[in-house]
PDB file of all heavy atoms in Angstrom:
ATOM      1  N   LEU U1360     -38.074 -45.198 -84.121  1.00  0.00           N
ATOM      2  CA  LEU U1360     -38.549 -44.350 -83.092  1.00  0.00           C
ATOM      3  C   LEU U1360     -37.587 -43.187 -82.809  1.00  0.00           C
ATOM      4  O   LEU U1360     -37.885 -42.088 -82.519  1.00  0.00           O
ATOM      5  CB  LEU U1360     -38.788 -45.058 -81.797  1.00  0.00           C
ATOM      6  CG  LEU U1360     -40.107 -45.965 -81.847  1.00  0.00           C
ATOM      7  CD1 LEU U1360     -40.045 -46.981 -80.637  1.00  0.00           C
ATOM      8  CD2 LEU U1360     -41.346 -45.227 -81.905  1.00  0.00           C
ATOM      9  N   VAL U1367     -40.230 -35.009 -84.200  1.00  0.00           N
ATOM     10  CA  VAL U1367     -41.016 -34.303 -83.232  1.00  0.00           C
ATOM     11  C   VAL U1367     -40.349 -33.094 -82.730  1.00  0.00           C
ATOM     12  O   VAL U1367     -40.963 -31.872 -82.730  1.00  0.00           O
ATOM     13  CB  VAL U1367     -41.383 -35.212 -82.089  1.00  0.00           C
ATOM     14  CG1 VAL U1367     -41.976 -34.413 -80.959  1.00  0.00           C
ATOM     15  CG2 VAL U1367     -42.454 -36.211 -82.534  1.00  0.00           C
ATOM     16  N   ALA U1390     -47.322 -29.697 -74.290  1.00  0.00           N
ATOM     17  CA  ALA U1390     -46.421 -30.657 -73.654  1.00  0.00           C
ATOM     18  C   ALA U1390     -46.864 -31.965 -73.985  1.00  0.00           C
ATOM     19  O   ALA U1390     -46.045 -32.894 -74.299  1.00  0.00           O
ATOM     20  CB  ALA U1390     -46.474 -30.369 -72.234  1.00  0.00           C
ATOM     21  N   ALA U1391     -48.215 -32.311 -73.904  1.00  0.00           N
ATOM     22  CA  ALA U1391     -48.588 -33.754 -74.158  1.00  0.00           C
ATOM     23  C   ALA U1391     -48.219 -34.377 -75.425  1.00  0.00           C
ATOM     24  O   ALA U1391     -47.723 -35.462 -75.396  1.00  0.00           O
ATOM     25  CB  ALA U1391     -50.160 -33.744 -74.052  1.00  0.00           C
ATOM     26  N   PRO U1392     -48.294 -33.626 -76.558  1.00  0.00           N
ATOM     27  CA  PRO U1392     -47.856 -34.361 -77.791  1.00  0.00           C
ATOM     28  C   PRO U1392     -46.446 -34.833 -77.835  1.00  0.00           C
ATOM     29  O   PRO U1392     -46.055 -35.806 -78.566  1.00  0.00           O
ATOM     30  CB  PRO U1392     -48.033 -33.314 -78.858  1.00  0.00           C
ATOM     31  CG  PRO U1392     -49.093 -32.389 -78.311  1.00  0.00           C
ATOM     32  CD  PRO U1392     -48.803 -32.306 -76.865  1.00  0.00           C
ATOM     33  N   TRP U1393     -45.543 -34.240 -76.988  1.00  0.00           N
ATOM     34  CA  TRP U1393     -44.132 -34.749 -76.920  1.00  0.00           C
ATOM     35  C   TRP U1393     -44.073 -36.197 -76.362  1.00  0.00           C
ATOM     36  O   TRP U1393     -42.996 -36.719 -76.513  1.00  0.00           O
ATOM     37  CB  TRP U1393     -43.374 -33.752 -75.962  1.00  0.00           C
ATOM     38  CG  TRP U1393     -43.036 -32.424 -76.600  1.00  0.00           C
ATOM     39  CD1 TRP U1393     -43.956 -31.318 -76.669  1.00  0.00           C
ATOM     40  CD2 TRP U1393     -41.833 -31.974 -77.240  1.00  0.00           C
ATOM     41  NE1 TRP U1393     -43.333 -30.273 -77.230  1.00  0.00           N
ATOM     42  CE2 TRP U1393     -41.929 -30.714 -77.600  1.00  0.00           C
ATOM     43  CE3 TRP U1393     -40.619 -32.602 -77.423  1.00  0.00           C
ATOM     44  CZ2 TRP U1393     -41.035 -29.959 -78.216  1.00  0.00           C
ATOM     45  CZ3 TRP U1393     -39.646 -31.950 -78.102  1.00  0.00           C
ATOM     46  CH2 TRP U1393     -39.872 -30.606 -78.514  1.00  0.00           C
ATOM     47  N   LEU U1394     -45.093 -36.603 -75.609  1.00  0.00           N
ATOM     48  CA  LEU U1394     -45.022 -37.805 -75.032  1.00  0.00           C
ATOM     49  C   LEU U1394     -45.461 -39.030 -75.911  1.00  0.00           C
ATOM     50  O   LEU U1394     -45.354 -40.253 -75.546  1.00  0.00           O
ATOM     51  CB  LEU U1394     -45.700 -37.677 -73.750  1.00  0.00           C
ATOM     52  CG  LEU U1394     -45.117 -36.778 -72.652  1.00  0.00           C
ATOM     53  CD1 LEU U1394     -45.957 -36.670 -71.513  1.00  0.00           C
ATOM     54  CD2 LEU U1394     -43.718 -37.280 -72.448  1.00  0.00           C
ATOM     55  N   VAL U1395     -45.997 -38.733 -77.136  1.00  0.00           N
ATOM     56  CA  VAL U1395     -46.480 -39.759 -77.885  1.00  0.00           C
ATOM     57  C   VAL U1395     -45.340 -40.759 -78.335  1.00  0.00           C
ATOM     58  O   VAL U1395     -45.421 -41.996 -78.272  1.00  0.00           O
ATOM     59  CB  VAL U1395     -47.188 -39.151 -79.304  1.00  0.00           C
ATOM     60  CG1 VAL U1395     -47.424 -40.252 -80.207  1.00  0.00           C
ATOM     61  CG2 VAL U1395     -48.461 -38.528 -78.828  1.00  0.00           C
ATOM     62  N   VAL U1396     -44.153 -40.158 -78.606  1.00  0.00           N
ATOM     63  CA  VAL U1396     -43.187 -40.984 -79.095  1.00  0.00           C
ATOM     64  C   VAL U1396     -42.518 -41.817 -77.939  1.00  0.00           C
ATOM     65  O   VAL U1396     -42.330 -43.087 -78.087  1.00  0.00           O
ATOM     66  CB  VAL U1396     -41.993 -40.269 -79.863  1.00  0.00           C
ATOM     67  CG1 VAL U1396     -40.752 -41.189 -80.127  1.00  0.00           C
ATOM     68  CG2 VAL U1396     -42.454 -39.651 -81.163  1.00  0.00           C
ATOM     69  N   PRO U1397     -42.327 -41.268 -76.740  1.00  0.00           N
ATOM     70  CA  PRO U1397     -41.915 -42.089 -75.685  1.00  0.00           C
ATOM     71  C   PRO U1397     -42.908 -43.152 -75.287  1.00  0.00           C
ATOM     72  O   PRO U1397     -42.550 -44.263 -74.909  1.00  0.00           O
ATOM     73  CB  PRO U1397     -41.606 -41.063 -74.408  1.00  0.00           C
ATOM     74  CG  PRO U1397     -41.394 -39.827 -75.169  1.00  0.00           C
ATOM     75  CD  PRO U1397     -42.128 -39.897 -76.419  1.00  0.00           C
ATOM     76  N   PHE U1398     -44.177 -42.839 -75.431  1.00  0.00           N
ATOM     77  CA  PHE U1398     -45.225 -43.896 -75.214  1.00  0.00           C
ATOM     78  C   PHE U1398     -45.044 -44.964 -76.153  1.00  0.00           C
ATOM     79  O   PHE U1398     -45.182 -46.200 -75.879  1.00  0.00           O
ATOM     80  CB  PHE U1398     -46.589 -43.205 -75.243  1.00  0.00           C
ATOM     81  CG  PHE U1398     -47.713 -44.084 -74.798  1.00  0.00           C
ATOM     82  CD1 PHE U1398     -48.043 -44.228 -73.507  1.00  0.00           C
ATOM     83  CD2 PHE U1398     -48.351 -44.876 -75.698  1.00  0.00           C
ATOM     84  CE1 PHE U1398     -49.082 -45.091 -73.090  1.00  0.00           C
ATOM     85  CE2 PHE U1398     -49.421 -45.797 -75.390  1.00  0.00           C
ATOM     86  CZ  PHE U1398     -49.722 -45.882 -74.054  1.00  0.00           C
ATOM     87  N   ALA U1399     -44.873 -44.716 -77.441  1.00  0.00           N
ATOM     88  CA  ALA U1399     -44.801 -45.708 -78.492  1.00  0.00           C
ATOM     89  C   ALA U1399     -43.553 -46.512 -78.236  1.00  0.00           C
ATOM     90  O   ALA U1399     -43.485 -47.681 -78.418  1.00  0.00           O
ATOM     91  CB  ALA U1399     -44.751 -44.949 -79.890  1.00  0.00           C
ATOM     92  N   GLY U1400     -42.508 -45.901 -77.819  1.00  0.00           N
ATOM     93  CA  GLY U1400     -41.234 -46.562 -77.454  1.00  0.00           C
ATOM     94  C   GLY U1400     -41.468 -47.593 -76.330  1.00  0.00           C
ATOM     95  O   GLY U1400     -41.041 -48.730 -76.406  1.00  0.00           O
ATOM     96  N   GLY U1401     -42.255 -47.102 -75.277  1.00  0.00           N
ATOM     97  CA  GLY U1401     -42.461 -48.041 -74.244  1.00  0.00           C
ATOM     98  C   GLY U1401     -43.370 -49.143 -74.572  1.00  0.00           C
ATOM     99  O   GLY U1401     -43.327 -50.380 -74.134  1.00  0.00           O
ATOM    100  N   ARG U1402     -44.387 -48.997 -75.547  1.00  0.00           N
ATOM    101  CA  ARG U1402     -45.221 -50.043 -75.909  1.00  0.00           C
ATOM    102  C   ARG U1402     -44.477 -51.038 -76.879  1.00  0.00           C
ATOM    103  O   ARG U1402     -45.060 -52.183 -77.129  1.00  0.00           O
ATOM    104  CB  ARG U1402     -46.360 -49.394 -76.814  1.00  0.00           C
ATOM    105  CG  ARG U1402     -47.463 -48.668 -76.072  1.00  0.00           C
ATOM    106  CD  ARG U1402     -48.326 -49.605 -75.265  1.00  0.00           C
ATOM    107  NE  ARG U1402     -49.160 -50.335 -76.079  1.00  0.00           N
ATOM    108  CZ  ARG U1402     -50.177 -51.047 -75.693  1.00  0.00           C
ATOM    109  NH1 ARG U1402     -50.464 -51.134 -74.533  1.00  0.00           N
ATOM    110  NH2 ARG U1402     -50.929 -51.899 -76.518  1.00  0.00           N
ATOM    111  N   LEU U1417     -35.908 -41.259 -75.616  1.00  0.00           N
ATOM    112  CA  LEU U1417     -36.679 -40.646 -76.833  1.00  0.00           C
ATOM    113  C   LEU U1417     -37.085 -39.291 -76.503  1.00  0.00           C
ATOM    114  O   LEU U1417     -37.115 -38.380 -77.231  1.00  0.00           O
ATOM    115  CB  LEU U1417     -37.888 -41.568 -77.155  1.00  0.00           C
ATOM    116  CG  LEU U1417     -37.566 -42.821 -77.875  1.00  0.00           C
ATOM    117  CD1 LEU U1417     -38.716 -43.725 -78.042  1.00  0.00           C
ATOM    118  CD2 LEU U1417     -36.791 -42.612 -79.206  1.00  0.00           C
ATOM    119  N   THR U1458     -43.531 -42.336 -68.677  1.00  0.00           N
ATOM    120  CA  THR U1458     -44.368 -42.496 -69.895  1.00  0.00           C
ATOM    121  C   THR U1458     -44.099 -43.873 -70.493  1.00  0.00           C
ATOM    122  O   THR U1458     -44.960 -44.679 -70.794  1.00  0.00           O
ATOM    123  CB  THR U1458     -44.421 -41.426 -70.868  1.00  0.00           C
ATOM    124  OG1 THR U1458     -44.794 -40.188 -70.334  1.00  0.00           O
ATOM    125  CG2 THR U1458     -45.333 -41.613 -72.033  1.00  0.00           C
ATOM    126  N   ALA U1462     -46.358 -47.186 -70.493  1.00  0.00           N
ATOM    127  CA  ALA U1462     -46.752 -47.805 -71.806  1.00  0.00           C
ATOM    128  C   ALA U1462     -46.452 -49.227 -71.896  1.00  0.00           C
ATOM    129  O   ALA U1462     -47.201 -50.012 -72.303  1.00  0.00           O
ATOM    130  CB  ALA U1462     -46.020 -46.986 -72.948  1.00  0.00           C
ATOM    131  N   LEU U1477     -51.942 -41.628 -71.426  1.00  0.00           N
ATOM    132  CA  LEU U1477     -51.604 -40.634 -72.527  1.00  0.00           C
ATOM    133  C   LEU U1477     -52.745 -39.764 -72.944  1.00  0.00           C
ATOM    134  O   LEU U1477     -52.646 -38.443 -72.921  1.00  0.00           O
ATOM    135  CB  LEU U1477     -50.956 -41.324 -73.748  1.00  0.00           C
ATOM    136  CG  LEU U1477     -50.315 -40.436 -74.849  1.00  0.00           C
ATOM    137  CD1 LEU U1477     -49.196 -39.574 -74.239  1.00  0.00           C
ATOM    138  CD2 LEU U1477     -49.862 -41.244 -76.002  1.00  0.00           C
ATOM    139  N   PHE U1481     -53.493 -35.462 -72.717  1.00  0.00           N
ATOM    140  CA  PHE U1481     -54.137 -34.461 -73.660  1.00  0.00           C
ATOM    141  C   PHE U1481     -55.434 -33.790 -73.036  1.00  0.00           C
ATOM    142  O   PHE U1481     -55.598 -32.693 -73.451  1.00  0.00           O
ATOM    143  CB  PHE U1481     -54.517 -35.293 -74.923  1.00  0.00           C
ATOM    144  CG  PHE U1481     -53.252 -35.505 -75.800  1.00  0.00           C
ATOM    145  CD1 PHE U1481     -52.432 -36.489 -75.579  1.00  0.00           C
ATOM    146  CD2 PHE U1481     -53.137 -34.673 -76.956  1.00  0.00           C
ATOM    147  CE1 PHE U1481     -51.232 -36.667 -76.453  1.00  0.00           C
ATOM    148  CE2 PHE U1481     -51.980 -34.853 -77.793  1.00  0.00           C
ATOM    149  CZ  PHE U1481     -51.169 -35.916 -77.521  1.00  0.00           C
TER     150      PHE U1481
END
Side-chain angles (χ1 to χ4, degrees):
L1360 287 170
V1367 165
W1393 286 81
L1394 298 175
V1395 171
V1396 175
F1398 188 87
R1402 288 285 295 189
L1417 291 173
T1458 301
L1477 188 61
F1481 276 81

